[in-house]
Amino acid sequence: MTPEARGVWFGGDYNPEQWDEKVWAADDALMRQAGVNTATVGVFSWSVLEPDEGRYEFGWLDGTLERLSRNGIRVVLATPTASPPPWFTLAHPDAMPVTRDGTRLWHGSRDTYCAAAPAYRAAAARMADALAQRYAGHPALAMWHVHNEYGTVCWCDHAASAFRGWLQGRYGAGGDGLAALNGAWGTAFWSQRYSSWEQVLPPRATQWLANPSHALDYSRFWSDEMLAGFCEQRDAIRRHTPEVPVTTNFMLPHYQVLDLWAWSREVDVVAIDHYLGSAGHDGHPDIAFGADRARSFNGGRPWILMEQSTSLIYQRDGILTKEPGRMLRDSVGYLARGSDSVMFFQWRASPAGAEMFHPAMVPHAGPDTRIFREVCELGSAVARLGEVVGSTVPAEVALLWDADSWWALENRGIPLAEVGYLDLVRADHAALWRAGVVCDFAHPDGDLSRYRLIFATGAYLISDEGAWALRQYVAAGGHVVMSFGGGMVDSQHHARLGGCPGALCDVFGIRVEEFRPLARGETVALTYGVAPLAYGAAALTGEADPITGGGHGTLWSEDLRTEGADVLASYAAGPLAGQPAVTRNSFGAGTAWYVSTQLDEGARDRLFAGAAARAGAGPVIAGAPPGVEIVRRHGDGGRSWLFVLNHTKAAAVVEASGVELLSGQPADGRLEVAPGAVAVLREHGSSAAASGTGPGRD
Ligand code: GLA
């Protein structure tokens, strides 16, 4: 049987090499029971597939693919290059990674390689080539999954030499290039001037603060260097199987090593791994935060959820738990925002090894468990949602997303680093989520014209091109809300002179003269300003806030003066008392808001709702009860599906008509969704025909 081309992909990482044949037979039966139709195989199998250099043993993988194929399960076949075998380590000690402080790491975990080491790159490309040659034309092969979660940075001599090559590509070789590099890195400061290329090294451990421009280029270099490694494997694979899409799994939300805009141009479809960063209710906007980015990186097309967790989530600082019953709602949350798959790490919990207690679809306790029952319920639910595959999620609002700003903010010595790029963007995205406004992410230099409203949050670094794009956007009638610290530096991480937001001061009608970070836990009261109440101002000063009529700010404040903008809120106390805190300016045909502090949730919600209203953007359905998430996917021929996720403890009623796909029940103007439940409504006027062929290349 060949894998079904249509329908939602459902399954997860499958590691049969950790088990024996008796368990394989049980897996076959349990996968059928759960409705699994997709398995990701071979992610960490290098030492089994190539036990000694150049000696391949494909037998078990042949058998696995045959077995999965017989069961009608499509295979996402991985290259195992994220975990080189011990023989590789001992044969190529120079290819082992070196930390910033010069410690060379040994095997015993995973991702123990330098991705710039020639021996590693050659071995990885050979392995990809061998696998693709072997499995070209295999009926189960649906997609290639190169490597796993690229993101390991190294500071060794191979990295140094590759970095110099990259810099020469950027600044030019020879003396002129070196002069350009000295200028770009501001090496006149602290006597860092380079007089030959050999002196240029990775930003290794230093005595105190390091050069931020040097660090930014090293981040850019590593994203490009790893991408080159990905492309080598991808191209080796494409030579044998040009018809099979190739992807790699991006790790969201915490990995900041890759510029995912650049990477997304090189994969055939974006795939993400998503482990929630917050437990409880805060996990819901977190899902939207990951899903909206995945969709945006994939140019608005459907994407793949490659991994999520069935229950526990291991974070660096502890373990988060998902409440019972949440597996379906979380999974439908990803589908609502454009995923065409629901997949997990992993199918069966490992009996041994570093991640043996990581949850799985089949837990250690076996199939007679709540987790496996929820997996089966989920399998049967997603089987009813196949018709949404291929449909898209339009958005009128976008948040800027820029690896450069994130990288730049990772430096010690940068005042905003304390605040954290990810937290800032996540907080503003969550405000839009609470308002029911579906948003994309956009690159600052990209085409912004299709959005009514842009949020420039954490946009600390704005290049000249980005400033030009924003200026054109507003001049042409666009709406932009910029948060504090915007445009402080240019693309070389040099301070913008003349006040912030640098090249955009006239667009916002303000000039920030000084910044005043607030101490942890410190708040500053706000009051509404001198401008007539309208739009954002009316929202911001709503009577709902009894404290000051304007809410309060945390994290940061700024000493700004207006140069044409209206003041919507002012600082009510402290050294900046009476000075503007939130402003709004008309520029060309558009409007530009500036928010100089982190507004409390209520004030931010009101400001954002006001800006959205002025921009003519709104929620999918007006008046949805708080905590009820509503997203619409659109298909060909005017078909649409309304996804309703009730995150509350009360039944929710939404005005909508159509057929609810999970229950098969009609809804005629009134769709009731039980507490904690989900509904997927094929809206009236839509037909049942499938709209796509599943994830893959266009
Ligand atoms: C990542 C990896 C998996 C596994 C999970 C769980 O997403 O891809 O191999 O380690 O995390 O921690």
Side-chain angles (χ1 to χ4, degrees):
M1 197 198 305
T2 55
E4 276 288 294
R6 291 172 190 273
V8 175
W9 290 19
F10 178 61
D13 280 36
Y14 181 41
N15 299 302
E17 69 273 31
Q18 297 173 13
W19 302 92
D20 63 21
E21 291 180 14
K22 268 209 310 258
V23 177
W24 297 350
D27 285 339
D28 289 347
L30 291 173
M31 284 187 186
R32 274 196 298 274
Q33 188 183 339
V36 165
N37 60 30
T38 309
T40 305
V41 178
V43 179
F44 292 110
S45 309
W46 196 340
S47 66
V48 185
L49 289 171
E50 192 183 4
D52 297 300
E53 184 154 14
R55 182 167 69 80
Y56 297 108
E57 284 191 1
F58 289 121
W60 72 270
L61 189 53
D62 293 350
T64 301
L65 263 61
E66 286 315 314
R67 196 158 50 76
L68 291 168
S69 184
R70 267 200 311 279
N71 281 308
I73 294 174
R74 66 171 70 80
V75 170
V76 176
L77 186 54
T79 67
T81 52
S83 208
W87 62 254
F88 177 86
T89 312
L90 298 181
H92 305 284
D94 62 300
M96 292 300 98
V98 172
T99 59
R100 193 190 290 272
D101 66 0
T103 307
R104 192 175 285 283
L105 303 180
W106 288 87
H107 63 242
S109 182
R110 65 180 186 188
D111 288 294
T112 322
Y113 51 79
C114 167
Y120 169 76
R121 287 275 278 276
R126 261 198 321 271
M127 172 49 87
D129 183 73
L131 275 171
Q133 190 172 7
R134 177 109 187 158
Y135 297 105
H138 197 290
L141 178 63
M143 184 172 283
W144 288 100
H145 170 308
V146 169
H147 200 83
N148 189 67
E149 296 179 344
Y150 278 96
T152 304
V153 170
C154 172
W155 283 262
C156 75
D157 290 343
H158 290 305
S161 141
F163 183 41
R164 283 191 285 269
W166 182 91
L167 290 168
Q168 289 173 353
R170 184 176 175 87
Y171 297 107
D176 288 353
L178 200 58
L181 177 131
N182 276 308
W185 289 5
T187 54
F189 190 79
W190 281 353
S191 181
Q192 291 177 354
R193 190 176 167 280
Y194 297 98
S195 56
S196 85
W197 277 101
E198 287 64 45
Q199 297 160 8
V200 180
L201 297 172
R204 291 173 174 154
T206 50
Q207 189 280 126
W208 195 43
L209 296 177
N211 181 324
S213 305
H214 180 189
L216 177 59
D217 271 349
Y218 202 59
S219 299
R220 290 170 170 152
F221 152 71
W222 263 117
S223 180
D224 287 355
E225 184 67 19
M226 288 182 213
L227 184 56
F230 165 80
C231 290
E232 284 163 14
Q233 290 201 41
R234 180 202 61 193
D235 295 347
I237 287 168
R238 279 191 183 157
R239 279 195 285 279
H240 300 287
T241 60
E243 73 293 354
V244 180
V246 184
T247 193
T248 184
N249 49 342
F250 299 154
M251 178 53 156
L252 301 182
H254 301 294
Y255 279 28
Q256 94 284 28
V257 178
L258 309 182
D259 173 0
L260 292 180
W261 294 115
W263 276 72
S264 298
R265 288 195 288 273
E266 301 297 339
V267 298
D268 290 322
V269 60
V270 164
I272 66 161
D273 297 347
H274 201 249
Y275 293 89
L276 299 186
S278 326
H281 186 76
D282 287 347
H284 303 310
D286 224 29
I287 287 175
F289 183 48
D292 288 344
R293 275 182 294 155
R295 183 184 67 250
S296 305
F297 294 140
N298 207 36
R301 293 181 297 278
W303 50 278
I304 295 181
L305 174 66
M306 194 67 90
E307 293 181 21
Q308 61 168 331
S309 166
T310 53
S311 60
L312 303 183
I313 299 152
Y314 288 83
Q315 297 287 357
R316 268 171 222 270
D317 50 355
I319 301 177
L320 301 179
T321 56
K322 286 190 179 185
E323 303 88 321
R326 199 161 146 176
M327 204 186 292
L328 172 66
R329 186 152 40 100
D330 283 2
S331 300
V332 171
Y334 295 105
L335 292 174
R337 290 172 189 267
S339 173
D340 275 356
S341 76
V342 172
M343 293 171 52
F344 293 89
F345 177 84
Q346 59 179 331
W347 164 250
R348 187 182 275 280
S350 302
E355 291 195 324
M356 65 182 167
F357 291 113
H358 196 283
M361 298 167 83
V362 182
H364 286 150
D368 184 12
T369 49
R370 172 183 66 78
I371 293 281
F372 189 67
R373 279 187 286 279
E374 282 195 34
V375 165
C376 293
E377 284 161 23
L378 176 60
S380 90
V382 298
R384 291 184 207 122
L385 301 179
E387 66 186 61
V388 308
V389 164
S391 59
T392 55
V393 184
E396 297 174 323
V397 175
L399 277 146
L400 296 186
W401 179 267
D402 187 13
D404 274 356
S405 268
W406 190 354
W407 289 331
L409 284 172
E410 289 295 296
N411 283 277
R412 283 172 63 214
I414 306 299
L416 267 167
E418 287 288 304
V419 169
Y421 182 77
L422 195 60
D423 287 345
L424 288 176
V425 181
R426 193 205 313 261
D428 279 2
H429 180 273
L432 293 168
W433 183 88
R434 287 192 296 275
V437 175
V438 174
C439 67
D440 283 348
F441 287 84
H443 190 274
D445 305 359
D447 174 20
L448 306 177
S449 63
R450 67 185 143 126
Y451 299 108
R452 291 175 184 271
L453 177 61
I454 299 283
F455 287 87
T457 303
Y460 164 69
L461 181 154
I462 299 186
S463 65
D464 293 347
E465 296 76 20
W468 187 87
L470 268 181
R471 167 182 299 277
Q472 298 304 310
Y473 169 75
V474 181
H479 300 76
V480 63
V481 179
M482 176 177 277
S483 67
F484 52 94
M488 282 174 82
V489 300
D490 67 11
S491 59
Q492 293 303 339
H493 207 163
H494 291 196
R496 292 274 187 192
L497 306 181
C500 293
L504 292 165
C505 282
D506 57 333
V507 174
F508 288 88
I510 59 158
R511 184 169 305 276
V512 178
E513 294 184 16
E514 288 288 340
F515 52 85
R516 302 183 68 92
L518 299 175
R520 231 175 265 273
E522 185 183 353
T523 62
V524 56
L526 302 175
T527 185
Y528 81 88
V530 295
L533 297 184
Y535 305 109
L540 191 61
T541 56
E543 283 158 24
D545 192 323
I547 309 171
T548 62
H552 63 267
T554 53
L555 298 177
W556 190 264
S557 61
E558 283 172 352
D559 190 346
L560 72 82
R561 68 166 188 248
T562 55
E563 295 184 343
D566 292 335
V567 177
L568 305 187
S570 303
Y571 292 103
L576 299 179
Q579 290 187 227
V582 181
T583 61
R584 189 194 63 226
N585 192 44
S586 295
F587 181 80
T591 308
W593 286 260
Y594 189 82
V595 186
S596 70
T597 183
Q598 181 74 325
L599 293 175
D600 68 273
E601 220 171 85
R604 189 170 353 169
D605 286 356
R606 295 192 296 279
L607 178 70
F608 284 17
R614 182 164 174 140
V620 174
I621 286 190
V628 177
E629 181 177 352
I630 303 179
V631 186
R632 182 176 277 124
R633 284 182 73 151
H634 290 256
D636 302 337
R639 287 169 300 153
S640 62
W641 296 267
L642 198 68
F643 288 72
V644 183
L645 288 77
N646 184 357
H647 303 303
T648 76
K649 293 191 163 55
V653 175
V654 174
E655 277 182 37
S657 299
V659 176
E660 203 285 308
L661 299 179
L662 299 175
S663 63
Q665 295 300 310
D668 201 2
R670 185 180 190 279
L671 176 68
E672 180 164 336
V673 186
V678 294
V680 182
L681 196 71
R682 181 199 308 134
E683 296 187 284
H684 273 334
S686 297
S687 80
S691 63
T693 55
R697 296 170 78 166
D698 291 337

